[in-house]
Amino acid sequence: MKKYFIQFRPFLVFIGTFFGAYILLTVLYKFYLDSFTGVEADGITSIVSHNVEQLSNVFNYDIKVEKNFGSPWYDVLFNGNYIVRIVEGCNAVSVIILFISFVLAFSGKLKTTLLFILFGIVFIYILNVFRIAVLTVLLYYFPQNNHLLHGVLFPLIIYGSVFFLWVIWVNKFSKYAK
């Protein structure tokens, strides 16, 4: 048995680090979410919602984001028409937790790891704000394609981008890159 632990040690360290970081970050995020009431949106979702509106203003789109006062989400209106709502799951924190856990599991030098994690968080956040803004516009013009746009295309873009970041990390910066 000891022979197998030695042989598979890198894999076991990866799995242990990945799941340890994932569980820890998820539990911390859950405690954060539990600090908000049932009709109050969490702060990260609020910031994402306001950033979607700010981004649309830069491109002269008439997107308004309004807090739904009976629920913990934001309603997104385009040209005065309700299109989508931004809920906690739209803030990309779960994707960021997954990203961080993987990078930590394939860690490299401390400074490089922390800088790459910071870069990844900012990249994923900005990509997510663009995703919501573009999705809003596309759903206004193509509401019949809701499942394709929201359920297939945009998750593919965000998870594909995270996968691309992981490939860069493993091949260029992690201690396994050599």
Side-chain angles (χ1 to χ4, degrees):
M1 189 72 155
K2 182 179 177 183
K3 176 181 107 176
Y4 292 114
F5 280 121
I6 292 170
Q7 182 180 1
F8 295 111
R9 185 177 185 277
F11 174 73
L12 295 173
V13 169
F14 169 80
I15 291 294
T17 305
F18 176 82
F19 282 113
Y22 186 79
I23 290 168
L24 175 67
L25 292 171
T26 301
V27 167
L28 290 173
Y29 183 55
K30 175 75 169 121
F31 281 127
Y32 167 76
L33 290 177
D34 287 346
S35 70
F36 295 91
T37 65
V39 296
E40 183 182 14
D42 68 277
I44 299 169
T45 302
S46 297
I47 294 168
V48 167
S49 300
H50 295 297
N51 289 157
V52 167
E53 186 171 5
Q54 290 169 334
L55 176 66
S56 69
N57 290 336
V58 169
F59 293 101
N60 292 321
Y61 280 102
D62 183 25
I63 293 179
K64 299 287 182 240
V65 178
E66 300 173 349
K67 173 67 179 88
N68 185 303
F69 289 103
S71 305
W73 62 70
Y74 285 83
D75 293 328
V76 182
L77 296 94
F78 182 62
N79 292 336
N81 298 305
Y82 169 82
I83 304 296
V84 294
R85 64 179 167 213
I86 300 174
V87 299
E88 176 272 323
C90 299
N91 65 20
V93 172
S94 61
V95 176
I96 290 170
I97 289 172
L98 191 65
F99 169 77
I100 292 171
S101 300
F102 184 88
V103 171
L104 289 175
F106 270 113
S107 66
K109 295 178 183 171
L110 179 63
K111 182 178 178 182
T112 307
T113 301
L114 293 176
L115 286 174
F116 195 81
I117 286 173
L118 181 62
F119 167 78
I121 290 170
V122 170
F123 177 78
I124 293 166
Y125 182 88
I126 291 170
L127 180 65
N128 187 54
V129 169
F130 271 94
R131 174 188 76 93
I132 296 169
V134 171
L135 183 61
T136 300
V137 173
L138 288 175
L139 287 176
Y140 176 79
Y141 291 109
F142 307 103
Q144 70 278 9
N145 294 326
N146 183 7
H147 175 70
L148 176 66
L149 294 170
H150 184 264
V152 178
L153 183 61
F154 283 93
L156 182 66
I157 290 170
I158 199 152
Y159 284 109
S161 298
V162 169
F163 180 76
F164 181 68
L165 288 174
W166 286 343
V167 169
I168 292 171
W169 174 251
V170 170
N171 289 315
K172 300 283 185 195
F173 301 110
S174 81
K175 61 186 171 191
Y176 301 102
K178 290 151 180 76

